[in-house]
Amino acid sequence: MMTRLNDKKTSILIVEDDPMQAETLRLGLDYCGYRVVATISHGEEALERVQALAPDLVLMDILLAGKMDGIEAAQKIHEACDIPVLYLTAYADDEFFRRARVTEPYAFMLKPCSTREIQLAIETALYRHKTERSARATLEQAVTERTAELVQARNRIASILESISDAFVSLDASWHYTYVNAKAGELFGRKQEALIGKHIWSEFPESVGQPFYHACHKAMAQQTPIEMEEYYPPWQRWLENRIQPSKEGLSIFFHDITERKRSEQALRESERYNRMLFECLPTGLALCRMDGTLVDINQAFASMLGRSIEETLPLSYWDITPAKYAEQEQLQLANLNASGRYGPYEKEYLHKEGHLVPVVLSGRIIEKDGERYIWSSVKDITERKQSGEQIQHQLEMLQALYSGAHKLSESLDFSGIAHSVTQLCVEVLGVQLAWLGRAEADGSVSLLAQYPAENTYPRRISVRWDESPLGQGSTGRAIREGAPVFSTEISKDKKFSPWLDMALQEGFHSSAAFPLISRGKAFGTLNLYSPVAGFFTPERVELFQALAHQAAAALVNIALYDEIRAYTRELEQRVADRTADLVAINQELEAYSYSVSHDLRAPLRAIQGFAQALEEDYGAKLGATGADYIQRIVDSAQRMDTLIQDLLAYSQLTRADIQLNPVNMAAVVREALAQLDREIKQSGATITAAPSLSAVMAHAPTLTQIISNLLGNAIKFVPSGRLPEIKIWTEERGERIRLWVEDNGIGIAPEHQARIFHVFERLHGVENYPGTGIGLAIVCKGAERMGGEAGVESNVGNGSRFWVELDKPSGAKNP
Ligand code: ADP
């Protein structure tokens, strides 16, 4: 008997439709210590009984009576419960095994078989079942744990995917979304859940055909990861896409790189702009290493050296620097090393063609990728230098012009000026020939002056300033238009043709005519010729026109001066003629005066003589009336004699030679008082002279006569019954002495004060105040002849103050 495997009996359900075999089997099993829980004969019953009885094992006959055979029944049991099934069969073909294998049987036993074989098979099956069950339990445990881990991992990934800044989606192999993170939803403007399960190209049809679309297909087809940057127009954003293929489909990360792209773009733009500036700047720019090797230069720099950039770059800084600058360059280099900068300083570069180019340069050290470079900015100063020289040259010319013009204004000779102008043009201002022409009234132009004198050209040519063909050249037009006219190349100037052959023979190539203008009208031209074509540059034209203006002004001045000189000469002649006339008249007047003094006075004396004889011889017979008549004849003759004497004195005063000497005023006054002694006494006048009277420059007899006349009037012109009171004094007035004679007489109305100094002007009848009206005329004329003057201050009824003013004696100006 077989040993029981455990205390608890193993329960077995037998499915066998042959009762004999079933009983035999039960007995055998029982014998072996198993507990047969039931024996059934139909397959349909098997599952139900297995579930009800829960045996440890089922022994299953394959061929069963009924609809369900053993394999099918075993199939149901296998699907429903975990109970091992052993097949018992009388035969076995391939089809049977193929079907039975599906039910995972624990053994096949071919009938007939011994109890011992059955027991072995049962124990083996139970053991295997037990082992498998424990293995399965372990496996299930492992699967459960693994699943939990996977879920955890997936959650972790999901939370990572949700928290990352990138957008992330996963697609299955048929392009449906399986995952969309929050960032992706945000980027697409969709709800995450709404996209899950959706077809990517249907959701985003605008992407179809785009580079992203092709990249996804390529990644999917070739199972290769692809990274790409792409501008996505619908969103106007730049995306960096990382497409990761897997068996399930694709994982795609989207990263918005718009900002980065924009700053890259801005950087590129600014680099491009800088480069453009660098290339287009008119200033030369060069970057070179500390050893002088050129690294980068712009076109302006290369052009300065007469080369292209490509030709220049292989050169070193020292190749383009003349040797003479070596020392200076070392100094600048030392400066550069010390301060990080150099310049600006001037030097020269070697041009490709061998000449030197003056430049001014400055620069600084810059660091690039850890290396030190010299960054230089270079300016070509050729023009500046040239214009500096030009200015110097112009200054010299202007200097020459100034001194030339100065000479012009000093000269007082018309032909001298004309000559100087033409000479200046040739010798200082560098023309070959200069001539001055004058516009004549008949339309011709005459030659005023030329330089050099030996050149015959100005004398050979015929020039006009009217509208005729000979008036169409520079000279004629300059005169008509009042503006400079010049030919830069006379052989190309049609208007020059009448004179061209002669001019070419002289070697002239350019010519110019500058109008000489006075009061807005040209009266001539300055004509210039040069062997250099284009000699008359705008600067020169300006210069020559300035000279022409100077020359015109000088010529006009000199013409005016000549005119004035001629006029002065004429005036002098007229004065001389007039003087001669006057001398003749004077002589006549002298003769006349002589006749007056002698011839007129002789009959007067006869009248006086005979009147006196008549009175003496026939006075008694003529009676009182007769005596009165005779007296009147005598008085009239006397009066006439006085008149003649006064006139004679006046006319002598106007003609006589008068010598001025210092005269003692007191002595003169005394003399006058002596002459008037009788009148003074008769009138009872009081005359007071100041104790000191100033001396004057005078002609003593004339001054005596003046004072005598003034005193005579002062005594005479007093109202009847008033005693004359007269004062005399002198007053110093600057360089002159004024003599005053004041009276207490009848006075003179202001309106008559001027005329009483003229001959025969009297304010009163002879009956009241006798006189000839010549006294004050003599005062006035006498003062005048002695270089002085006379006047009066008076009012009617208040007396008069007459004065005479004469020079102080020289050397006695400040007594
Ligand atoms: P005469 O004395 O011979 O008349 P004058 O030439 O001396 O001629 O003077 C001209 C006139 O001036 C006088 O007639 C008189 O009317 C006036 N006159 C001259 N002196 C005085 C004076 N001292 N006071 C007033 N009238 C005077």
Side-chain angles (χ1 to χ4, degrees), residues 713 716-717 743 746 748 761-764 771-776:
N713 284 345
K716 185 164 59 177
F717 292 104
D743 64 42
I746 57 174
I748 307 155
E761 291 288 352
R762 307 196 73 245
L763 303 178
H764 310 282
T772 57
I774 295 174
L776 286 181

Side-chain angles (χ1 to χ4, degrees), residues 165-355:
S165 59
D166 286 1
F168 170 78
V169 300
S170 64
L171 300 167
D172 64 16
S174 55
W175 304 106
H176 292 96
Y177 285 106
T178 53
Y179 187 83
V180 175
N181 79 349
K183 188 79 189 174
E186 191 183 303
L187 190 66
F188 302 163
R190 300 285 192 86
K191 286 212 163 104
Q192 291 168 261
E193 317 79 72
L195 280 173
I196 304 294
K198 296 280 167 56
H199 188 267
I200 179 172
W201 309 124
S202 313
E203 292 303 307
F204 298 101
E206 65 275 8
S207 303
V208 175
Q210 299 285 329
F212 173 67
Y213 175 86
H214 294 300
C216 285
H217 278 81
K218 188 177 167 194
M220 188 87 94
Q222 299 178 359
Q223 288 293 296
T224 42
I226 292 180
E227 287 191 11
M228 64 176 301
E229 288 181 357
E230 183 199 19
Y231 181 70
Y232 193 58
W235 299 344
Q236 300 186 332
R237 304 206 73 80
W238 275 92
L239 297 172
E240 182 189 62
N241 303 327
R242 293 198 304 279
I243 307 167
Q244 191 69 42
S246 69
K247 280 190 187 101
E248 291 79 37
L250 294 178
S251 300
I252 307 170
F253 288 90
F254 302 90
H255 183 58
D256 186 341
I257 53 166
T258 310
E259 287 315 311
R260 193 191 85 202
K261 278 283 174 186
R262 279 191 187 145
S263 53
E264 276 175 9
Q265 177 88 0
L267 194 67
R268 265 200 306 279
E269 289 279 314
S270 107
E271 270 173 6
R272 206 172 44 230
Y273 180 71
N274 286 344
R275 190 71 207 172
M276 186 200 70
L277 269 187
F278 175 77
E279 275 157 12
C280 301
L281 263 185
T283 304
L285 297 172
L287 185 69
C288 65
R289 297 210 171 77
M290 296 306 284
D291 64 358
T293 326
L294 291 171
V295 178
D296 196 4
I297 56 167
N298 69 353
Q299 186 55 51
F301 185 85
S303 301
M304 253 178 246
L305 306 169
R307 299 168 195 267
S308 66
I309 293 180
E310 296 69 32
E311 274 179 312
T312 313
L313 272 178
L315 300 175
S316 147
Y317 185 79
W318 303 107
D319 294 332
I320 54 173
T321 299
K324 63 176 174 178
Y325 286 102
E327 204 176 312
Q328 178 182 323
E329 292 301 290
Q330 289 307 334
L331 208 72
Q332 293 296 338
L333 207 57
N335 246 351
L336 180 67
N337 274 317
S339 67
R341 298 175 173 278
Y342 75 91
Y345 72 100
E346 288 186 16
K347 63 173 275 193
E348 286 162 307
Y349 277 155
L350 274 171
H351 192 271
K352 186 184 180 183
E353 285 163 9
H355 62 265

